[in-house]
Amino acid sequence: MSAVDEKTMEKIVALCKRRGFVFPSSEIYGGLNSCWDYGPLGVELKRNVKEAWWRSMVTSRDDIVGLDASILMHPKVWETSGHVAGFSDPMVDCKKCKARFRADHLETARCPEKPSKKPGECAGELTEARQFNLMFKTQLGPVEDSGAVVFLRPETAQGIFVNFKSVVESSRVKPPFGVAQIGKSFRNEITPGNFTFRTREFEQMEMEFFVPPDEAGKWYDYWCETRRQWYLDLGLREENLRMRTHGDDELAHYSVGCADVEYLFPFGWSELEGVANRTDFDLKRHSEASGENLTFFDNETNTHFTPYVIEPAAGADRATLAFLVDSFEEEKLEKETRTVLHLHPRLAPIKAAILPLVKREEGMVKMGQELAKQLRDAGISAFYDEKSAIGRRYRRMDEAGTPYCFTIDSTSLEDGTVTVRDRDSMEQSRMSAQEVLPFLREKI
Ligand code: GAP
C-alpha cells in the first residue's frame, strides 16, 4: 500500500463535513464568514487536544495551577495592557471592489474579482494603509452609553495577570510557577481564512510562567523545547514541525524574545503557538494602573521583586487542525483507496469500535453490547455498530481515526475471544474479550 495524491485543504474540509468533525456555522442560513462549528467527532477531538494540554501543563506538574477567568473584563485591563492603543493591524481597501486586506499580507492575498491577481495588481487602486483595532466591542448592561463599553478579550493572558495577587495569596505558589488557562478569545481579523486556522472566535491554551528575572533565559529555552516536544509526542511528524525565532521587528510591544512553533500546512509554514519572554511588562503596568502591589515577596532573601513571565501561547483550534492534517492519508490498497486518520490514540474521538459480524446473531449482539458497556463504564469512548458489511464499517472507522476495531464472530461465542484490527497496519489478531480493557488502557 502507498499514499496517493496530494493532501489538500479541500480534502480535509470535505472529510470534516462528511464525518462530522467541523461544519460551517449557521449553514442553513448560508453560513457566517470564518465561523465554524465542531460536530460530534470534532468536539471530542478538540476536547482531547485540550485535555492533553491541560494534563501536560497542569495536572502532571506541581509548579503550575489552573484558572478560568471571565471573557468580559474591566476596560482598564485593555488600556493598561496596550491593546486599546496598539492591538491593531494595518488595513487597506480596494477602491473598486471595496474588499479589505491586511497591508502586511498583500503578497499572499488575492483579488476577490480576479483571483489570479494580487490586490492592487487588478484594475482596483488601494487606499493608504490605516490601523484597524482588532478588539470586538460590546455593551455591558441595558444602558447604551460610552461608559458601558467593554471588549471581548483578545487573549486569555490578561485574565492571568490581573489574578496574579489572588493566586499567590490563595495557593502558596512561589516563582518559578505558572498559571494556565484554556478559553475563548475574539479578534476582528481583517482577513480570516484557511478553514479553522484564522478565525474571529477561537480558543487559546495559554500559560504564564512567573520566574525570577535572572532565570528568564533558562526558562524560555525550557518552554520552547517542552512545547515543541508536546506536538511530537502526540504524533505530529518531525519534518512538518519547526521553531522560528522572531526578528526584532516582529516582536510584540511587551516581548524581548519570541519563537513560534510552526507547522507545514498545505498552505505553507504557519504558527501553531508562540513562546514569548514578556519580561515584567504586564505585572508592572497593572500594578501602576491599579495601585495594587503585584510583586512577590521572597521570605528567604527578604526582598520584593516583580517576576518575569515566559508565556507559551497556543491555539486549540490550530493544534486540532494540525493533528487532523498531519494524520490524514489516502492510502492505495489493492482494489481501492482508503481514507484514514492516523490520529494518536489519546486524541482519537472514538477509541474502540465494537462490531458484531452478524446483526441477527443474538449471542454476538449481546457480547458486543456488553463489551461496549464495559469500556464506556471505564471511561473509554466505544462505538457500537452492527449495520452494513464489515469492510464498510472498518472504512468508516478509519475515516474517524478510530485506532482499534473489535469484531465478534462465531468463534467468539465458542471461546470468548474477539478479533482486534489495528487501524494503521490493518493487521488482525485474536485476544480474549477480557483482555480488551487492559489492552486499550495501555495503548491510550
Ligand atoms: N497572549 C499571547 C497571544 O495571544 P498570539 O500569538 O496572538 O499570542 C497565541 O496568540 C495563539 O493563539 C496563536 O499561536 C494561535 O495558535 C492562536 N490564535 C491567535 N489568533 C488566532 C485566530 N485568529 N484564529 C485562530 N487561532 C488564533
Side-chain angles (χ1 to χ4, degrees):
M1 65 199 167
S2 61
V4 289
D5 301 334
E6 203 192 335
K7 200 183 274 193
T8 63
M9 285 311 290
E10 287 72 23
K11 287 180 186 172
I12 308 283
V13 174
L15 173 77
C16 283
K17 169 97 169 89
R18 185 168 77 246
R19 292 312 317 274
F21 281 96
V22 181
F23 307 127
S25 164
S26 332
E27 197 180 11
I28 58 169
Y29 290 103
L32 184 64
N33 186 17
S34 100
C35 294
W36 302 93
D37 297 343
Y38 287 84
L41 290 183
V43 70
E44 296 298 336
L45 173 62
K46 190 170 154 189
R47 274 170 61 104
N48 292 341
V49 170
K50 290 187 283 181
E51 179 54 36
W53 186 88
W54 193 259
R55 186 191 288 212
S56 102
M57 300 299 269
V58 183
T59 43
S60 71
R61 304 182 60 112
D62 63 2
D63 57 354
I64 302 182
V65 294
L67 184 81
D68 185 6
S70 72
I71 288 173
L72 301 177
M73 300 171 75
H74 197 291
K76 278 207 174 137
V77 170
W78 306 110
E79 281 167 31
T80 308
S81 67
H83 284 82
V84 171
F87 193 59
S88 51
D89 280 334
M91 174 183 81
V92 291
D93 290 309
C94 173
K95 289 183 183 167
K96 185 162 167 271
C97 72
K98 310 289 177 221
R100 291 203 152 152
F101 307 96
R102 261 176 73 166
D104 54 342
H105 283 185
L106 288 178
E107 273 308 301
T108 48
R110 290 282 162 253
C111 164
E113 291 187 345
K114 288 190 185 157
S116 62
K117 306 261 184 205
K118 292 178 197 163
E121 285 182 350
C122 54
E125 192 192 333
L126 299 178
T127 60
E128 286 292 308
R130 56 191 195 286
Q131 291 298 322
F132 173 75
N133 194 294
L134 301 184
M135 283 198 294
F136 279 102
K137 278 185 194 159
T138 188
Q139 295 279 138
L140 196 69
V143 185
E144 287 201 16
D145 66 25
S146 58
V149 168
V150 289
F151 300 99
L152 300 188
R153 68 179 174 200
E155 63 170 16
T156 58
Q158 297 303 323
I160 296 177
F161 297 129
V162 300
N163 278 292
F164 174 81
K165 193 167 185 266
S166 302
V167 172
V168 169
E169 286 175 358
S170 64
S171 312
R172 304 176 126 207
V173 282
K174 184 172 184 280
F177 77 94
V179 182
Q181 167 160 232
I182 298 178
K184 289 251 172 164
S185 291
F186 302 82
R187 295 181 190 176
N188 202 358
E189 299 279 1
I190 298 166
T191 42
N194 284 326
F195 196 30
T196 53
F197 180 82
R198 189 181 306 283
T199 53
R200 294 186 171 119
E201 171 185 345
F202 52 94
E203 234 172 327
Q204 289 188 308
M205 309 186 287
E206 296 199 287
M207 195 275 291
E208 311 303 318
F209 203 67
F210 301 94
V211 301
D214 60 348
E215 292 181 19
K218 177 181 94 178
W219 284 108
Y220 173 76
D221 293 344
Y222 168 85
W223 281 112
C224 283
E225 182 45 30
T226 303
R227 293 303 307 145
R228 189 185 85 92
Q229 193 59 42
W230 182 78
Y231 294 96
L232 296 176
D233 290 347
L234 288 172
L236 284 197
R237 271 168 271 203
E238 197 152 10
E239 66 267 28
N240 292 336
L241 204 66
R242 73 177 185 192
M243 296 299 292
R244 190 182 68 79
T245 304
H246 282 208
D248 288 347
D249 54 333
E250 285 178 274
L251 292 175
H253 58 277
Y254 49 74
S255 142
V256 292
C258 184
D260 287 345
V261 183
E262 292 191 338
Y263 177 73
L264 185 55
F265 284 98
F267 45 85
W269 286 102
S270 307
E271 174 190 336
L272 290 183
E273 162 161 4
V275 181
N277 177 349
R278 292 182 78 125
T279 69
D280 53 9
F281 175 87
D282 302 272
L283 288 180
K284 276 198 168 147
R285 290 282 294 252
H286 284 304
S287 181
E288 280 158 23
S290 66
E292 286 288 346
N293 180 359
L294 300 183
T295 58
F296 183 82
F297 180 67
D298 189 337
N299 285 325
E300 282 160 29
T301 58
N302 254 349
T303 51
H304 284 270
F305 68 94
T306 306
Y308 266 40
V309 171
I310 308 302
E311 174 196 66
D317 307 272
R318 284 192 190 174
T320 303
L321 184 60
F323 289 120
L324 270 171
V325 169
D326 212 63
S327 66
F328 176 92
E329 188 181 10
E330 286 174 322
E331 220 173 56
K332 208 168 191 59
L333 308 177
E334 238 171 64
K335 292 192 185 129
E336 58 175 320
T337 298
R338 74 162 181 154
T339 302
V340 53
L341 292 180
H342 299 284
L343 289 168
H344 189 291
R346 214 178 309 151
L347 298 183
I350 302 168
K351 312 294 185 208
I354 312 298
L355 313 173
L357 202 58
V358 185
K359 184 175 150 190
R360 284 179 302 276
E361 177 56 64
E362 233 178 76
M364 290 185 203
V365 168
K366 185 165 176 283
M367 189 172 167
Q369 285 175 344
E370 278 172 8
L371 181 56
K373 181 170 183 321
Q374 186 202 12
L375 298 181
R376 287 184 198 128
D377 286 350
I380 292 176
S381 60
F383 182 75
Y384 175 84
D385 186 8
E386 55 183 30
K387 292 181 217 91
S388 77
I390 190 70
R392 288 184 59 190
R393 281 185 270 169
Y394 284 152
R395 292 290 168 272
R396 281 183 63 78
M397 286 298 108
D398 288 342
E399 280 194 336
T402 307
Y404 302 103
C405 291
F406 298 92
T407 310
I408 293 148
D409 55 17
S410 50
T411 312
S412 311
L413 302 181
E414 286 162 20
D415 65 5
T417 61
V418 296
T419 303
V420 54
R421 173 194 181 263
D422 182 281
R423 173 198 65 200
D424 298 337
S425 65
M426 291 188 290
E427 273 169 17
Q428 303 192 7
S429 56
R430 291 200 85 89
M431 67 168 63
S432 152
Q434 282 161 4
E435 285 173 64
V436 171
L437 180 55
F439 168 85
L440 284 172
R441 280 212 172 112
E442 192 207 316
K443 296 287 183 190
I444 296 163

